[in-house]
Amino acid sequence: MKLTWHTTGLELAEPLRISRSVMARRDAVWLSVEHGGLRGWGEAVSSDHLGLPTARITHHLSAVRPALERLPDPETAWDDPAAAGLPELPAGVLAAVEAALLDLTGKRAGRPAHQMLGTPEAPTAATARTIGITAPVPAAVQAARLAMGGFTTIKIKAGSPDPAEDLARVEAVRTGAPGASLLLDPNGAWTEAQAHALLPRFAALGVTAVEQPIAPGRPDALARVAKDSPVPVIADEDAVTYDDAVALAGRVHGVNVKLAKCGGVRAALRIHEALIGSGTDLMLGCLTASSLGIAPAVHLVDRARWVDLDGHLLLADDPWAGIGGTDGTVRPSGRAGLGVRRAGAAGAR
Protein backbone atom coordinates (compact mmCIF):
# COMPACT_ATOMS: atom_id res chain seq x y z
CA MET A 1 0.00 0.00 0.00
CA LYS A 2 1.00 3.60 -0.52
CA LEU A 3 -0.06 6.60 1.59
CA THR A 4 0.18 10.07 0.05
CA TRP A 5 -1.34 13.46 0.80
CA HIS A 6 -1.46 17.08 -0.22
CA THR A 7 -2.81 20.27 1.31
CA THR A 8 -5.35 22.63 -0.20
CA GLY A 9 -7.44 25.57 0.99
CA LEU A 10 -11.20 25.61 1.52
CA GLU A 11 -12.79 29.05 1.20
CA LEU A 12 -16.17 29.74 2.78
CA ALA A 13 -18.87 31.41 0.71
CA GLU A 14 -19.04 34.03 3.47
CA PRO A 15 -17.29 34.32 6.84
CA LEU A 16 -18.97 32.32 9.60
CA ARG A 17 -19.14 34.12 12.93
CA ILE A 18 -19.69 32.16 16.13
CA SER A 19 -19.33 33.25 19.74
CA ARG A 20 -15.60 32.54 19.96
CA SER A 21 -14.29 33.26 16.43
CA VAL A 22 -14.88 34.18 12.82
CA MET A 23 -13.76 31.79 10.08
CA ALA A 24 -13.38 32.52 6.37
CA ARG A 25 -11.14 29.63 5.28
CA ARG A 26 -9.32 26.57 6.54
CA ASP A 27 -6.78 24.09 5.25
CA ALA A 28 -7.75 20.60 4.17
CA VAL A 29 -5.28 17.74 3.90
CA TRP A 30 -6.46 15.18 1.34
CA LEU A 31 -4.88 11.80 1.85
CA SER A 32 -5.11 8.68 -0.25
CA VAL A 33 -4.29 5.04 0.38
CA GLU A 34 -3.50 3.25 -2.87
CA HIS A 35 -3.44 -0.51 -3.45
CA GLY A 36 -4.06 -2.68 -6.47
CA GLY A 37 -4.83 0.23 -8.77
CA LEU A 38 -7.55 1.68 -6.52
CA ARG A 39 -7.42 4.64 -4.16
CA GLY A 40 -9.28 5.38 -0.98
CA TRP A 41 -9.62 9.02 0.06
CA GLY A 42 -9.94 10.85 3.35
CA GLU A 43 -9.81 14.46 4.52
CA ALA A 44 -8.45 16.07 7.67
CA VAL A 45 -9.17 19.77 8.15
CA SER A 46 -7.14 22.14 10.27
CA SER A 47 -8.77 23.30 13.49
CA ASP A 48 -7.37 25.72 16.04
CA HIS A 49 -10.14 24.79 18.47
CA LEU A 50 -9.20 21.09 18.32
CA GLY A 51 -5.47 21.83 18.42
CA LEU A 52 -4.91 20.47 14.94
CA PRO A 53 -2.91 22.86 12.75
CA THR A 54 -1.96 21.71 9.28
CA ALA A 55 1.65 21.02 10.24
CA ARG A 56 0.53 18.65 13.00
CA ILE A 57 -1.71 16.76 10.57
CA THR A 58 1.10 16.20 8.08
CA HIS A 59 3.58 15.35 10.84
CA HIS A 60 1.38 12.52 12.07
CA LEU A 61 0.73 11.25 8.54
CA SER A 62 4.48 11.06 8.04
CA ALA A 63 4.87 9.19 11.31
CA VAL A 64 2.18 6.59 10.57
CA ARG A 65 3.10 5.99 6.93
CA PRO A 66 5.81 3.32 7.49
CA ALA A 67 3.59 1.09 9.65
CA LEU A 68 0.63 1.47 7.30
CA GLU A 69 2.63 0.78 4.16
CA ARG A 70 4.15 -2.39 5.66
CA LEU A 71 0.73 -4.03 5.81
CA PRO A 72 -0.24 -6.27 2.88
CA ASP A 73 -3.62 -4.73 2.08
CA PRO A 74 -6.20 -2.20 3.31
CA GLU A 75 -8.40 -4.91 4.78
CA THR A 76 -5.64 -5.79 7.23
CA ALA A 77 -5.29 -2.15 8.25
CA TRP A 78 -9.05 -1.77 8.64
CA ASP A 79 -9.39 -4.95 10.70
CA ASP A 80 -6.33 -4.30 12.88
CA PRO A 81 -5.87 -0.54 13.43
CA ALA A 82 -3.16 -1.13 16.03
CA ALA A 83 -0.98 -2.89 13.47
CA ALA A 84 -1.14 0.25 11.32
CA GLY A 85 -0.33 2.54 14.26
CA LEU A 86 -3.69 4.27 14.02
CA PRO A 87 -4.54 4.49 17.75
CA GLU A 88 -1.57 6.81 18.23
CA LEU A 89 -2.99 9.44 15.88
CA PRO A 90 -4.88 12.57 16.95
CA ALA A 91 -8.62 12.08 16.50
CA GLY A 92 -8.92 14.23 13.38
CA VAL A 93 -6.07 12.47 11.62
CA LEU A 94 -7.29 9.05 12.74
CA ALA A 95 -10.75 9.82 11.32
CA ALA A 96 -9.24 10.79 7.96
CA VAL A 97 -6.99 7.73 7.64
CA GLU A 98 -9.84 5.49 8.73
CA ALA A 99 -12.08 7.11 6.10
CA ALA A 100 -9.53 6.42 3.37
CA LEU A 101 -9.29 2.77 4.44
CA LEU A 102 -13.07 2.46 4.54
CA ASP A 103 -13.31 4.03 1.10
CA LEU A 104 -10.69 1.68 -0.34
CA THR A 105 -11.98 -1.51 1.26
CA GLY A 106 -15.48 -0.62 0.11
CA LYS A 107 -14.28 -0.06 -3.45
CA ARG A 108 -12.40 -3.37 -3.42
CA ALA A 109 -15.53 -5.14 -2.17
CA GLY A 110 -17.85 -3.27 -4.51
CA ARG A 111 -19.96 -2.13 -1.55
CA PRO A 112 -20.87 1.33 -0.22
CA ALA A 113 -19.53 2.29 3.18
CA HIS A 114 -22.89 2.10 4.94
CA GLN A 115 -23.08 -1.60 4.12
CA MET A 116 -19.58 -2.10 5.48
CA LEU A 117 -20.83 -0.43 8.69
CA GLY A 118 -23.94 -2.55 9.08
CA THR A 119 -26.71 -0.61 7.30
CA PRO A 120 -27.99 -2.51 4.24
CA GLU A 121 -30.03 0.32 2.70
CA ALA A 122 -28.60 3.75 1.96
CA PRO A 123 -29.54 6.08 4.84
CA THR A 124 -30.85 9.59 4.21
CA ALA A 125 -31.56 12.43 6.60
CA ALA A 126 -32.64 16.05 6.67
CA THR A 127 -29.64 18.13 7.70
CA ALA A 128 -29.59 21.38 9.59
CA ARG A 129 -28.13 24.41 7.85
CA THR A 130 -26.23 26.97 9.92
CA ILE A 131 -26.81 30.71 10.12
CA GLY A 132 -23.96 32.49 11.88
CA ILE A 133 -24.08 35.45 14.23
CA THR A 134 -25.46 38.20 12.02
CA ALA A 135 -28.07 40.95 12.08
CA PRO A 136 -31.77 40.02 12.09
CA VAL A 137 -32.63 41.17 8.56
CA PRO A 138 -29.95 39.15 6.72
CA ALA A 139 -30.71 36.22 9.03
CA ALA A 140 -34.37 36.34 8.02
CA VAL A 141 -33.49 36.58 4.34
CA GLN A 142 -31.13 33.63 4.59
CA ALA A 143 -33.70 31.59 6.50
CA ALA A 144 -36.37 32.24 3.89
CA ARG A 145 -33.99 31.23 1.11
CA LEU A 146 -33.06 28.02 2.92
CA ALA A 147 -36.70 27.12 3.56
CA MET A 148 -37.53 27.66 -0.11
CA GLY A 149 -34.59 25.40 -1.00
CA GLY A 150 -35.95 22.49 1.04
CA PHE A 151 -34.29 22.89 4.44
CA THR A 152 -36.58 21.94 7.31
CA THR A 153 -34.05 22.45 10.13
CA ILE A 154 -32.00 25.61 10.68
CA LYS A 155 -29.24 25.99 13.24
CA ILE A 156 -28.71 29.50 14.58
CA LYS A 157 -25.46 30.55 16.18
CA ALA A 158 -25.80 32.52 19.42
CA GLY A 159 -23.52 34.00 22.06
CA SER A 160 -23.58 37.71 21.22
CA PRO A 161 -22.39 39.94 24.08
CA ASP A 162 -25.97 41.18 24.37
CA PRO A 163 -28.42 38.24 24.48
CA ALA A 164 -31.11 40.52 23.09
CA GLU A 165 -29.29 40.34 19.75
CA ASP A 166 -29.55 36.54 19.78
CA LEU A 167 -33.24 36.71 20.63
CA ALA A 168 -33.83 39.13 17.76
CA ARG A 169 -31.93 36.88 15.35
CA VAL A 170 -33.95 33.82 16.34
CA GLU A 171 -37.20 35.75 16.01
CA ALA A 172 -36.13 36.92 12.56
CA VAL A 173 -35.28 33.38 11.46
CA ARG A 174 -38.65 32.19 12.75
CA THR A 175 -40.32 34.88 10.65
CA GLY A 176 -38.29 33.98 7.56
CA ALA A 177 -38.82 30.23 7.93
CA PRO A 178 -41.96 29.75 10.03
CA GLY A 179 -42.16 26.00 9.37
CA ALA A 180 -38.55 25.14 10.16
CA SER A 181 -37.29 23.37 13.25
CA LEU A 182 -34.77 25.64 15.00
CA LEU A 183 -31.59 24.53 16.75
CA LEU A 184 -29.59 27.01 18.82
CA ASP A 185 -25.84 26.91 19.35
CA PRO A 186 -24.13 29.42 21.68
CA ASN A 187 -20.86 27.43 21.55
CA GLY A 188 -20.55 27.62 25.33
CA ALA A 189 -20.92 31.40 25.55
CA TRP A 190 -23.39 31.59 28.45
CA THR A 191 -23.02 31.26 32.18
CA GLU A 192 -25.15 28.68 33.94
CA ALA A 193 -27.41 31.45 35.27
CA GLN A 194 -27.83 32.90 31.79
CA ALA A 195 -28.75 29.50 30.39
CA HIS A 196 -31.47 29.00 33.00
CA ALA A 197 -32.85 32.48 32.30
CA LEU A 198 -32.60 32.48 28.51
CA LEU A 199 -33.68 29.01 27.46
CA PRO A 200 -37.37 29.52 28.29
CA ARG A 201 -37.32 32.70 26.19
CA PHE A 202 -35.77 30.91 23.22
CA ALA A 203 -38.20 28.02 23.62
CA ALA A 204 -41.06 30.51 23.37
CA LEU A 205 -39.63 31.60 20.00
CA GLY A 206 -39.73 28.03 18.70
CA VAL A 207 -36.23 26.73 19.43
CA THR A 208 -36.43 22.93 19.64
CA ALA A 209 -32.96 22.08 21.04
CA VAL A 210 -29.77 23.83 22.18
CA GLU A 211 -26.14 22.78 21.81
CA GLN A 212 -23.56 23.45 24.53
CA PRO A 213 -25.18 26.47 26.16
CA ILE A 214 -22.43 26.90 28.79
CA ALA A 215 -18.65 26.75 28.66
CA PRO A 216 -17.20 23.22 28.62
CA GLY A 217 -15.43 21.72 31.59
CA ARG A 218 -18.34 21.67 34.06
CA PRO A 219 -20.41 18.61 33.13
CA ASP A 220 -22.35 18.78 36.40
CA ALA A 221 -23.46 22.30 35.57
CA LEU A 222 -24.43 21.23 32.05
CA ALA A 223 -26.49 18.42 33.54
CA ARG A 224 -28.26 20.93 35.81
CA VAL A 225 -29.08 23.11 32.81
CA ALA A 226 -30.39 20.08 30.94
CA LYS A 227 -32.56 19.01 33.86
CA ASP A 228 -34.37 22.36 34.00
CA SER A 229 -34.35 23.21 30.29
CA PRO A 230 -37.66 23.40 28.40
CA VAL A 231 -35.85 22.11 25.28
CA PRO A 232 -33.33 19.28 24.81
CA VAL A 233 -29.72 20.15 25.71
CA ILE A 234 -27.03 18.61 23.51
CA ALA A 235 -23.41 18.45 24.69
CA ASP A 236 -20.81 19.35 22.07
CA GLU A 237 -17.57 20.81 23.42
CA ASP A 238 -18.13 18.75 26.59
CA ALA A 239 -18.48 15.54 24.55
CA VAL A 240 -15.19 15.04 22.74
CA THR A 241 -14.27 11.43 23.46
CA TYR A 242 -16.07 8.16 24.07
CA ASP A 243 -15.44 8.53 27.80
CA ASP A 244 -16.94 12.04 27.75
CA ALA A 245 -20.08 10.77 26.05
CA VAL A 246 -20.48 7.84 28.44
CA ALA A 247 -20.07 10.15 31.43
CA LEU A 248 -22.88 12.35 30.13
CA ALA A 249 -25.24 9.52 29.17
CA GLY A 250 -28.57 10.00 30.92
CA ARG A 251 -27.58 13.47 32.13
CA VAL A 252 -28.13 15.45 28.94
CA HIS A 253 -30.58 14.91 26.10
CA GLY A 254 -27.97 14.46 23.38
CA VAL A 255 -24.30 14.43 22.49
CA ASN A 256 -22.94 15.93 19.30
CA VAL A 257 -20.55 13.42 17.75
CA LYS A 258 -18.13 14.83 15.20
CA LEU A 259 -15.82 12.29 13.63
CA ALA A 260 -12.89 14.72 13.74
CA LYS A 261 -13.13 15.01 17.52
CA CYS A 262 -14.04 11.42 18.47
CA GLY A 263 -11.72 9.61 16.02
CA GLY A 264 -13.83 8.35 13.13
CA VAL A 265 -16.79 6.16 12.25
CA ARG A 266 -15.93 3.27 14.55
CA ALA A 267 -15.60 5.56 17.55
CA ALA A 268 -18.94 7.14 16.62
CA LEU A 269 -20.55 3.71 16.47
CA ARG A 270 -19.14 2.84 19.90
CA ILE A 271 -20.66 6.02 21.30
CA HIS A 272 -23.99 5.25 19.67
CA GLU A 273 -24.04 1.78 21.19
CA ALA A 274 -23.14 3.13 24.62
CA LEU A 275 -26.01 5.65 24.52
CA ILE A 276 -28.75 3.18 23.65
CA GLY A 277 -31.33 3.06 26.45
CA SER A 278 -29.68 5.87 28.41
CA GLY A 279 -32.14 8.60 27.46
CA THR A 280 -29.39 10.47 25.62
CA ASP A 281 -29.60 10.60 21.84
CA LEU A 282 -26.98 11.03 19.15
CA MET A 283 -26.40 14.14 17.08
CA LEU A 284 -24.07 13.92 14.11
CA GLY A 285 -22.17 17.14 13.55
CA CYS A 286 -19.16 18.22 11.54
CA LEU A 287 -16.47 20.79 10.97
CA THR A 288 -16.50 22.96 7.89
CA ALA A 289 -15.09 20.56 5.30
CA SER A 290 -15.61 19.34 1.76
CA SER A 291 -17.99 16.55 0.78
CA LEU A 292 -15.03 14.19 1.14
CA GLY A 293 -14.65 15.13 4.81
CA ILE A 294 -18.38 14.96 5.54
CA ALA A 295 -19.05 11.71 3.64
CA PRO A 296 -18.16 9.15 6.37
CA ALA A 297 -20.72 10.66 8.75
CA VAL A 298 -23.42 10.60 6.05
CA HIS A 299 -23.17 6.81 6.05
CA LEU A 300 -24.15 6.86 9.76
CA VAL A 301 -27.15 9.20 9.70
CA ASP A 302 -29.66 6.43 10.43
CA ARG A 303 -28.24 6.31 13.98
CA ALA A 304 -28.83 9.99 14.78
CA ARG A 305 -31.80 11.94 16.14
CA TRP A 306 -30.28 15.25 14.98
CA VAL A 307 -28.15 15.67 11.85
CA ASP A 308 -25.99 18.74 11.24
CA LEU A 309 -23.83 17.81 8.26
CA ASP A 310 -23.70 21.06 6.34
CA GLY A 311 -19.97 21.83 6.41
CA HIS A 312 -19.63 21.32 2.65
CA LEU A 313 -22.60 23.61 2.02
CA LEU A 314 -20.78 26.54 3.64
CA LEU A 315 -18.00 26.49 1.05
CA ALA A 316 -17.68 28.84 -1.89
CA ASP A 317 -16.70 25.88 -4.07
CA ASP A 318 -16.93 22.30 -2.85
CA PRO A 319 -14.18 20.37 -4.67
CA TRP A 320 -15.88 17.00 -4.05
CA ALA A 321 -19.41 15.71 -4.68
CA GLY A 322 -21.53 12.71 -3.80
CA ILE A 323 -23.44 13.32 -0.55
CA GLY A 324 -26.15 15.76 -1.62
CA GLY A 325 -27.36 18.33 0.89
CA THR A 326 -28.19 21.28 -1.34
CA ASP A 327 -31.91 20.40 -1.10
CA GLY A 328 -31.75 19.94 2.68
CA THR A 329 -31.17 16.18 2.60
CA VAL A 330 -27.86 14.31 2.77
CA ARG A 331 -27.61 10.89 1.18
CA PRO A 332 -24.86 8.52 -0.03
CA SER A 333 -24.45 8.32 -3.79
CA GLY A 334 -24.75 4.52 -3.97
CA ARG A 335 -21.24 4.10 -5.35
CA ALA A 336 -18.77 1.81 -3.63
CA GLY A 337 -16.77 3.09 -0.69
CA LEU A 338 -17.58 6.60 0.51
CA GLY A 339 -19.22 7.27 -2.84
CA VAL A 340 -17.60 10.65 -3.43
CA ARG A 341 -15.72 11.93 -6.46
CA ARG A 342 -13.97 15.10 -7.46
CA ALA A 343 -16.57 17.65 -8.51
CA GLY A 344 -16.90 17.75 -12.26
CA ALA A 345 -15.06 14.45 -12.68
CA ALA A 346 -16.62 11.45 -14.33
CA GLY A 347 -15.41 9.22 -11.52
CA ALA A 348 -12.61 8.40 -9.15
CA ARG A 349 -10.54 5.27 -8.91
Side-chain angles (χ1 to χ4, degrees), residues 182-251:
L182 304 183
L183 305 179
L184 190 70
D185 186 7
N187 287 108
W190 298 340
T191 65
E192 183 179 352
Q194 284 179 312
H196 285 294
L198 289 171
L199 284 175
R201 300 180 66 183
F202 282 107
L205 292 174
V207 167
T208 59
V210 61
E211 289 182 59
Q212 197 67 42
I214 66 172
R218 299 174 60 215
D220 290 342
L222 186 65
R224 288 193 296 268
V225 171
K227 181 179 179 181
D228 294 336
S229 175
V231 299
V233 171
I234 304 165
D236 183 357
E237 286 86 346
D238 263 325
V240 176
T241 67
Y242 171 85
D243 290 341
D244 293 337
V246 170
L248 287 167
R251 307 184 70 201

Side-chain angles (χ1 to χ4, degrees), residues 30-32 39-43 99-100 103 107 292 320 338 348-349:
W30 294 341
L31 60 99
S32 74
R39 284 185 177 183
W41 294 90
E43 178 180 86
D103 189 32
K107 287 174 178 175
L292 171 61
W320 294 80
L338 296 178
R349 290 186 300 162

Side-chain angles (χ1 to χ4, degrees), residues 8-189:
T8 188
L10 299 176
E11 304 288 339
L12 275 68
E14 58 184 51
L16 178 65
R17 181 185 172 198
I18 65 175
S19 61
R20 62 173 178 256
S21 64
V22 179
M23 183 178 63
R25 73 173 304 279
R26 73 182 342 146
D27 285 345
V29 179
W30 294 341
L31 60 99
S32 74
V33 179
E34 185 175 1
H35 184 72
L38 293 174
R39 284 185 177 183
W41 294 90
E43 178 180 86
V45 292
S46 60
S47 171
D48 292 338
H49 179 66
L50 294 179
L52 202 62
T54 306
R56 186 170 180 232
I57 296 172
T58 57
H59 167 77
H60 282 282
L61 289 174
S62 296
V64 79
R65 177 160 55 185
L68 185 64
E69 291 187 345
R70 279 196 296 267
L71 298 180
D73 51 50
E75 290 79 10
T76 301
W78 175 258
D79 292 338
D80 188 1
L86 302 190
E88 307 305 317
L89 296 174
V93 183
L94 170 57
V97 175
E98 183 189 74
L101 292 169
L102 178 61
D103 189 32
L104 183 53
T105 55
K107 287 174 178 175
R108 282 165 58 85
R111 301 169 63 197
H114 61 82
Q115 292 184 2
M116 308 287 287
L117 299 172
T119 301
E121 300 298 324
T124 67
T127 180
R129 178 68 159 77
T130 300
I131 294 178
I133 294 178
T134 188
V137 171
V141 170
Q142 188 175 356
R145 185 172 66 248
L146 291 172
M148 290 179 62
F151 287 87
T152 57
T153 302
I154 296 174
K155 182 162 90 168
I156 307 160
K157 291 292 186 178
S160 300
D162 182 357
E165 296 179 10
D166 294 334
L167 289 160
R169 183 179 316 107
V170 170
E171 186 172 13
V173 170
R174 167 57 66 218
T175 300
S181 176
L182 304 183
L183 305 179
L184 190 70
D185 186 7
N187 287 108

